[in-house]
Amino acid sequence: MKQPRAWQRMLSGRRLDLLDPTPVDIEVGDIAHGLAFVARWNGQTMGDWPYSVAEHSLLVEDLYGRANPAAPPRWRLAALLHDAPEYVIGDMISPVKAAVGPGYGGLEQRLTAAIHLRFGLPAALPLTVKRAIKRADRVSAWLEATQIAGFSEAEANRLFGTPDAAIAQNFRIEPQPPAVVRAAFVARHAALLALC
């Protein structure tokens, strides 16, 4: 019996095997393009454009840097790439991930490892770095929830925790066109990579 296809052709021409991804099949342009067209919150956000995973990734990297000003550029790069696997597997909301089960987590881990190795990061991040990025991710989720996804602050506090006001202040989320976000992601990736 013929095996089902488990690879995807990227716009760069690369062929990414989802079950056995390798660093040589990863291109930042493919990641930026895919993430710029993947909507967070299943597209249930306010504005003329969907709020993309690329825009979210830029926010998480910024929040991580504010909370960890002495962090080396490589960990800021890791923050930018924290959701990079979603360029091929999409952004599943947490309830769907739970329903899908452990297979989703394994797929995400394999893609993350290949992406990290491609850009000079360890396949698995140190736990302290991973936790710090997760904290920035939760602040981002709180900001997104309260500003563009229709959550009350009380509901967001319950689901994502109350963010540190000094870190979360002065952010105004306004979803941008995919081409703008894609270019910003590529530019930030290049700037961080140059510092690593």
Side-chain angles (χ1 to χ4, degrees):
M1 179 170 254
K2 186 177 177 184
Q3 292 292 324
R5 179 172 68 93
W7 56 268
Q8 179 175 344
R9 175 78 57 205
M10 298 291 137
L11 289 178
S12 66
R14 300 278 189 197
R15 189 173 104 163
L16 181 66
D17 184 335
L18 299 177
L19 300 179
D20 188 22
T22 65
V24 297
D25 294 322
I26 307 292
E27 293 292 338
V28 71
D30 294 331
I31 294 171
H33 183 81
L35 295 183
F37 284 91
V38 173
R40 292 227 345 130
W41 304 94
N42 277 348
Q44 298 300 306
T45 55
M46 297 172 213
D48 293 333
W49 303 99
Y51 184 71
S52 73
V53 175
E55 197 165 356
H56 162 77
S57 297
L58 288 160
L59 178 58
V60 169
E61 187 269 324
D62 190 0
L63 289 165
Y64 173 81
R66 287 174 186 236
N68 303 278
R74 68 188 307 207
W75 300 144
R76 290 191 72 154
L77 179 62
L80 180 69
L81 296 170
H82 80 284
D83 278 341
E86 294 178 9
Y87 86 108
V88 288
I89 58 177
D91 181 36
M92 279 197 221
I93 59 173
S94 296
V96 174
K97 287 181 185 179
V100 169
Y104 179 87
L107 175 62
E108 190 174 42
Q109 286 176 345
R110 287 189 299 275
L111 285 165
T112 297
I115 291 164
H116 282 181
L117 293 172
R118 170 66 175 88
F119 299 114
L121 298 170
L125 298 177
L127 193 53
T128 54
V129 173
K130 192 171 182 175
R131 286 181 179 153
I133 292 170
K134 188 61 182 172
R135 283 191 296 275
D137 192 31
R138 291 178 68 79
V139 173
S140 177
W142 188 93
L143 289 166
E144 295 162 18
T146 58
Q147 291 186 25
I148 60 172
F151 288 62
S152 69
E153 286 192 12
E155 187 177 19
N157 289 345
R158 226 177 20 259
L159 293 170
F160 309 113
T162 305
D164 180 343
I167 300 298
Q169 69 184 357
N170 301 323
F171 281 99
R172 183 74 207 135
I173 297 174
E174 294 181 28
Q176 302 292 310
V180 171
V181 178
R182 179 180 58 213
F185 187 97
V186 169
R188 187 62 185 147
H189 180 272
L192 289 168
L193 203 57
L195 296 171
C196 289

